[in-house]
Amino acid sequence: MTKTRSMSLTAYRVLSWGVSSAGDTAYAPRPGGELIWIHIGARDRQRAVVDFCQRLQQVRPDLSILLTAPPDADLSRWPSGDFPLINLPSEQTGAARAFLEHWRPDIGLWIGGGLMPNLITRAQERGIPLILAEAAYHFNIAPGGRWLPDLTRLTFDSFTSILTTNNEAARQIRRLGISSSKVGTAPPLMVSPNPRPWPEDELIEMTHALSGRPVWLASWVQDKEFISVLSAHRQATRMLPRLALVLHVADIYEAAPLHRRLEAMDLRCVNWDEGGTIEDNTQVILSSDAEALGLWQRVSAVTFIGSTLERGSGGQDPLIATALGSAVIHGPFVHQHQQIYDQLDWVGAARVVRSATELGDAVVESLAPDRAADMALAGWQVVTEGAPQADRLIELVQDTLDQRGSDHAGT
């Protein structure tokens, strides 16, 4: 430890000693064996990180995973998942020490900004290898700490590997005096969905039942979106008279009342969940079975993701539909998956609509064979492009843990 480093950290730790924190939180027991601590700097990165964790456990199944969020994050607004998620303690000397002493991570992976000098430098002092991905110049520093010399450099230098998302960020970090061998570039983590297979005989049977008719799927539709979806379908059938709509209802208890409403509207409808038979003149296929979406997304060239057209729900994940080759249409209210929708919109794999009329127009336009193919190809590129960076990061984590295990075995 250099003199400058010692003086800067000593001063900073004194300054942060009295900051209020959750350092006395009663943590759950630490699991046995290897444990990786992964910090998620922002809520919109959680889905990609969870996907990465699932892929990591496939190659290292005995590895336990702890996810953390910023100290002030409201975890009630973060989706629940397969891995424990807790807030980090505030940037306080004792709280950082207590967190590390309890969890004793074998490796730390920090995603994004909000770097916390106390926690990061103490982890490095304990010999915990740290990797920084999607590096950003955003710090969560105790009051009065920003004037300290070298605090930014010392924090970055505590990482064994630093991955930025662009060359300019990498250059800025190197200018701090960080070794070039530590710093590299890599795209941000992306979700790489893996849809479960569907029985081939059922697909053949459904394709035969639909007799080559154009099909669009409206999935996760809320009751307040029913009229918009049905109006859009009536509008679209003026251009495509044989068009069939698969209407997947978000609330299973709405399926039966909706079936009665459709019959009253003189729409030829079958309830698939109750064994209804699809005929050549069937206009609407009704379902509320979430597992059956895998079938409908495979036979539908276009999928409208419901729970997005009206305020309140925040949207559903569109990537499974994209992975299965369906062009995606969605409403404007997608905040729970905003980053994914923004990316699909940007590359032309998805289209946003704001009314029933726009939805009807979008269905007709997206069902055109060349348009549907272009959207499906753009979506497939988004789905598959996340694999290489995840594989690279998994390899880095694996190598670091193996090296750490080897070093400990030799002592």
Side-chain angles (χ1 to χ4, degrees):
M1 179 182 294
T2 65
K3 182 177 180 180
T4 302
R5 176 178 183 178
S6 177
M7 291 178 61
S8 293
L9 286 182
T10 299
Y12 180 71
R13 288 169 181 172
V14 168
L15 285 169
S16 62
W17 188 265
V19 178
S20 62
S21 77
D24 57 352
T25 299
Y27 294 121
R30 183 202 189 278
E34 289 182 326
L35 181 141
I36 181 172
W37 155 44
I38 303 179
H39 179 70
I40 310 170
R43 184 179 64 176
D44 63 4
R45 304 303 297 132
Q46 182 185 8
R47 173 70 197 282
V49 171
V50 169
D51 183 76
F52 167 80
C53 293
Q54 292 168 342
R55 293 163 62 90
L56 177 61
Q57 280 199 326
Q58 289 175 0
V59 298
R60 208 174 185 99
D62 295 330
L63 179 66
S64 296
I65 295 173
L66 171 69
L67 302 181
T68 60
D72 57 353
D74 180 0
L75 295 188
S76 67
R77 297 176 59 83
W78 291 51
S80 58
D82 299 330
F83 306 100
L85 173 66
I86 64 172
N87 292 103
L88 282 180
S90 298
E91 181 68 338
Q92 183 196 39
T93 300
R97 184 170 57 241
F99 173 86
L100 295 169
E101 287 177 351
H102 177 84
W103 292 108
R104 305 186 311 280
D106 295 277
I107 185 173
L109 173 58
W110 195 287
I111 308 292
L115 303 180
M116 300 173 65
N118 256 338
L119 189 61
I120 291 168
T121 56
R122 284 194 175 277
Q124 188 268 341
E125 289 168 4
R126 292 174 67 95
I128 300 168
L130 301 173
I131 300 169
L132 174 60
E134 304 176 20
Y137 270 83
H138 176 230
F139 281 68
N140 186 351
I141 293 179
R146 294 188 180 277
W147 64 269
L148 291 169
D150 273 352
L151 191 60
T152 299
R153 183 184 66 80
L154 296 175
T155 303
F156 275 114
D157 207 28
S158 295
F159 293 95
T160 58
S161 298
I162 300 173
L163 297 174
T164 69
T165 57
N166 58 75
N167 291 327
E168 178 57 30
R171 283 193 292 270
Q172 290 178 353
I173 292 173
R174 292 189 187 104
R175 289 193 194 108
L176 295 172
I178 308 302
S179 171
S180 295
S181 62
K182 282 188 177 186
V183 185
T185 59
L189 285 173
M190 297 299 299
V191 179
S192 299
N194 185 24
R196 72 177 185 87
W198 199 268
E200 189 67 23
D201 57 342
E202 292 188 24
L203 280 173
I204 294 173
E205 182 181 350
M206 179 56 63
T207 301
H208 178 73
L210 292 168
S211 304
R213 298 170 60 190
V215 182
W216 72 292
L217 165 66
S219 63
W220 301 109
V221 179
Q222 303 285 338
D223 56 352
K224 55 189 174 183
E225 297 173 315
F226 291 159
I227 294 300
S228 294
V229 170
L230 294 172
S231 298
H233 182 62
R234 284 192 182 276
Q235 175 184 331
T237 55
R238 299 190 189 109
M239 298 294 296
L240 301 168
R242 299 187 70 239
L243 179 64
L245 164 64
V246 180
L247 179 50
H248 172 261
V249 182
D251 183 351
I252 188 172
Y253 298 106
E254 292 286 346
L258 179 59
H259 193 186
R260 293 190 291 270
R261 287 172 61 184
L262 292 172
E263 290 177 334
M265 295 169 65
D266 291 329
L267 283 169
R268 293 180 291 277
C269 174
V270 299
N271 190 325
W272 175 258
D273 300 344
E274 295 180 356
T277 300
I278 299 173
E279 299 176 349
D280 190 58
N281 63 352
T282 299
Q283 296 172 293
V284 180
I285 304 162
L286 189 63
S287 175
S288 59
D289 182 359
E291 291 188 4
L293 282 175
L295 171 63
W296 304 125
Q297 287 161 340
R298 284 174 167 87
V299 301
S300 303
V302 173
T303 296
F304 166 68
I305 309 293
S307 304
T308 63
L309 201 55
E310 302 289 342
R311 292 183 184 275
S313 298
Q316 294 284 336
D317 188 341
L319 283 181
I320 295 295
T322 302
L324 292 174
S326 190
V328 168
I329 303 172
H330 63 92
F333 304 108
V334 294
H335 63 267
Q336 289 186 357
H337 307 274
Q338 189 70 56
Q339 185 177 40
I340 295 172
Y341 279 101
D342 286 347
Q343 186 175 16
L344 292 175
D345 291 342
W346 176 257
V347 301
R351 175 173 172 174
V352 61
V353 298
R354 293 173 173 79
S355 67
T357 300
E358 289 185 14
L359 177 56
D361 290 340
V363 168
V364 173
E365 293 171 14
S366 301
L367 280 170
D370 55 345
R371 178 63 173 155
D374 289 344
M375 293 180 74
L377 177 59
W380 178 248
Q381 290 171 342
V382 169
V383 167
T384 56
E385 73 177 1
Q389 54 261 40
D391 290 343
R392 175 181 176 181
L393 196 53
I394 287 172
E395 183 177 356
L396 183 57
V397 169
Q398 288 264 74
D399 290 346
T400 303
L401 285 171
D402 291 343
Q403 182 61 49
R404 179 178 172 85
S406 175
D407 291 345
H408 285 189
T411 58

